[in-house]
Amino acid sequence: MKLLLVSPGWERGRLWGELGFKFPSLSLAALAAVTPPAWEVALCDENIEPLPLDTDADVVALTAMTPQAPRAYRIAAEFKARGKTVVMGGFHASNLPDEALRHVDAVVVGEGDLVWPQMLDDHCCGRLQRLYRSPSLIDMTAIPVARREIFAGKRYLLTNTLQTTRGCPFDCEFCSVTAFYGRKYRKRPVGSVLAELETLRKANSFAFFVDDNLVADRKYAMELFAGMKGMNFKWLSHAPIDFARDGEFIAAAGEAGCVGMFVGFESLNQQALSAMGKVTNTARSYLDDAKVFRDNGIGILGSFVLGYDGDTPDVFERLLRFCEEARIEAAIFPILTPYPGTDVRRRLEAEGRITSDAWEDYDMEHVNFRPVGMSADELQQGYDWLNRAFYSLPSMYRRIFKLHRSVQVFAPMNFGFRSALKRTKKRTAIGDVP
């Protein structure tokens, strides 16, 4: 039997569709790892290669985030028209399984590790069910190493992506992670992670931990950092801003090779932080916190959510000034997006403020709700201006052109975002968008 795993492409003319550097889907490699040996597994990532509509695969499996869902449904229609069995999982299908089932033969809700082999067996036996939902969360000791050989020959920046934990102990209003993985923070054995890292060293000295919060359990993370010290990895992951307030902890990360962290600042407004449930953030200490990261050799990819109720049109310039003063090495500025399954969607629905369910526009670049402190047009224009200003050459010079070990990662990242934004603007201007 043959299985084709498909990662739908991002639309051109959108920031994420124009970025030149591509990373593989670890979730698909994880599914490949629990696929029974009798199955031949192949991967198509539409972001870097054309879709093989003439495949001889018996089952086509799709995963999609919300803005990719319309493309995933079109792909499903193409393969179903050719007589293929099509199944789907991921964040969007898990939150809206009834919608997904209008397009595919079966949906896997939530973590698929436990039910995936059963689904494939049901297909072979002619008893495929419409919905598969695991009765429990997988024991983290049972997670096999991802089958990265499915990435071979593809033009990824790196394939050394791995996950050590699942879930997040926090419950931010806008975040879809809690809805998918839950608030229980589950950890793989440190020994298993270190053994996997040993195999990855043969491929690349860079690694990216995709954990939503690598440092939520101090004892666990310290054991991991101690084991990584001396392995000569340069690695990135995610951490909250209050990581800076534990000097021993953040120093251990730096000594273990950390060169960058994705950090959710989210807002400079403390009231907005409280409203969104960002309990770890204290806006008045951001400048000092950012300096601690930098002093430990760790650059920051910051995230700032635009459009919360406390935001007014002056927020864009204030954010730019802060990022330059704090020397934030790179940043994204997502527009508040009411993803299915999130608390913010439930709140905005109750308030009658959602204006669109065009899922392709749920890409954090478009306004899909009525803001309070400004108009939708002001929010959209402010988002566009802030991105252009932040990735302008003068701003890049002020933020990153200093002697710092993270520059090897963040200088190319800045130029990558700058080029993607220019291509996005050009395609939009000439109407060359799907």
Side-chain angles (χ1 to χ4, degrees):
M1 300 294 284
K2 295 184 178 182
L3 169 67
L4 176 64
L5 302 169
V6 177
S7 181
W10 289 89
E11 286 191 4
R12 303 306 298 268
R14 310 291 177 109
L15 174 61
W16 304 107
E18 296 295 341
L19 281 172
F21 47 87
K22 308 294 185 184
F23 293 92
S25 169
L26 185 62
S27 63
L28 291 180
L31 278 187
V34 295
T35 298
W39 285 78
E40 182 181 324
V41 183
L43 167 68
C44 171
D45 185 341
E46 253 201 321
N47 293 289
I48 58 176
E49 60 193 334
L51 193 67
L53 292 174
D54 59 348
T55 179
D56 60 350
D58 301 282
V59 175
V60 176
L62 296 157
T63 184
M65 293 182 284
T66 294
Q68 297 169 299
R71 176 58 187 158
Y73 295 154
R74 293 194 295 271
I75 292 172
E78 291 280 4
F79 282 118
K80 283 175 66 67
R82 289 164 172 78
K84 304 297 181 183
T85 296
V86 182
V87 301
M88 186 173 177
F91 276 62
H92 189 79
S94 292
N95 284 309
L96 296 175
D98 291 339
E99 175 189 287
L101 282 170
R102 296 199 294 268
H103 303 274
V104 301
D105 297 297
V107 166
V108 176
V109 174
E111 296 182 3
D113 310 72
L114 293 176
V115 298
W116 184 251
Q118 181 62 53
M119 191 210 70
L120 292 176
D121 185 61
D122 286 351
H123 166 78
C124 292
C125 297
R127 56 170 185 256
L128 185 70
Q129 302 173 46
R130 294 282 280 163
L131 194 69
Y132 289 84
R133 189 193 306 265
S134 179
S136 61
L137 297 174
I138 189 170
D139 184 338
M140 297 294 280
T141 63
I143 295 178
V145 173
R147 282 182 60 182
R148 294 181 182 84
E149 61 266 29
I150 66 173
F151 303 146
K154 303 186 187 296
R155 302 186 312 276
Y156 291 120
L157 182 64
L158 60 84
T159 58
N160 284 357
T161 56
L162 69 160
Q163 186 177 44
T164 72
T165 63
R166 291 184 181 180
C168 182
F170 306 113
D171 193 13
C172 299
E173 184 188 43
F174 57 81
C175 186
S176 54
V177 170
T178 306
F180 192 84
Y181 285 121
R183 291 189 66 180
K184 184 178 180 181
Y185 191 68
R186 295 172 292 141
K187 299 153 287 187
R188 288 175 61 196
V190 170
S192 297
V193 177
L194 294 176
E196 185 173 357
L197 284 167
E198 280 289 350
T199 67
L200 297 182
R201 278 208 294 181
K202 301 172 185 176
N204 198 300
S205 62
F206 282 90
F208 178 45
F209 293 93
V210 302
D211 304 57
D212 297 289
N213 187 346
L214 182 66
V215 298
D217 185 315
R218 188 184 194 277
K219 181 180 178 183
Y220 175 84
M222 285 291 277
E223 185 180 349
L224 176 64
F225 298 160
M228 291 183 66
K229 191 174 180 180
M231 295 182 77
N232 297 318
F233 270 107
K234 303 177 184 71
W235 57 271
L236 303 94
S237 190
H238 300 67
I241 190 62
D242 67 340
F243 184 42
R245 295 164 212 164
D246 187 330
E248 180 187 21
F249 198 8
I250 195 169
E255 291 167 1
C258 181
V259 294
M261 286 286 193
F262 180 97
V263 176
F265 292 87
E266 316 309 2
S267 178
L268 304 180
N269 182 324
Q270 195 62 46
Q271 287 184 318
L273 290 170
S274 298
M276 66 180 69
K278 201 72 180 183
V279 296
T280 62
N281 289 27
T282 305
R284 65 175 181 273
S285 69
Y286 278 173
L287 285 173
D288 292 335
D289 294 337
K291 183 177 184 301
V292 173
F293 273 79
R294 191 166 56 252
D295 289 347
N296 283 279
I298 302 172
I300 291 176
L301 170 57
S303 175
F304 301 84
V305 179
L306 304 175
Y308 253 90
D309 291 356
D311 285 348
T312 56
D314 68 344
V315 69
F316 310 108
E317 189 171 346
R318 286 193 293 111
L319 280 172
L320 179 64
R321 288 200 305 267
F322 165 77
C323 288
E324 292 180 349
E325 184 180 358
R327 284 175 47 194
I328 302 299
E329 284 82 357
I332 60 171
F333 304 96
I335 294 173
L336 179 64
T337 303
Y339 289 113
T342 60
D343 287 341
V344 74
R345 183 174 183 85
R346 286 185 280 272
R347 176 171 67 84
L348 293 178
E349 281 182 329
E351 296 171 2
R353 292 170 57 190
I354 292 178
T355 57
S356 171
D357 282 340
W359 299 135
E360 63 271 16
D361 288 338
Y362 275 56
D363 56 1
M364 301 182 291
E365 300 176 57
H366 294 82
V367 183
N368 299 290
F369 71 103
R370 284 198 306 277
V372 168
M374 66 186 93
S375 69
D377 284 344
E378 286 175 316
L379 176 53
Q380 187 69 62
Q381 292 169 14
Y383 164 85
D384 294 337
W385 175 86
L386 181 55
N387 276 281
R388 291 194 304 271
F390 183 83
Y391 287 108
S392 68
L393 292 177
S395 180
M396 288 164 58
Y397 178 80
R398 284 190 284 270
R399 293 182 292 100
I400 63 173
F401 287 99
K402 307 287 191 297
L403 289 176
H404 193 270
R405 71 174 187 171
S406 68
V407 170
Q408 62 187 310
V409 172
F410 286 96
M413 187 184 298
N414 273 256
F415 281 105
F417 274 113
R418 175 180 167 82
S419 296
L421 288 164
K422 290 175 69 175
R423 287 193 294 271
T424 299
K425 182 180 179 182
K426 182 178 180 180
R427 287 181 180 274
T428 302
I430 64 176
D432 183 22
V433 293

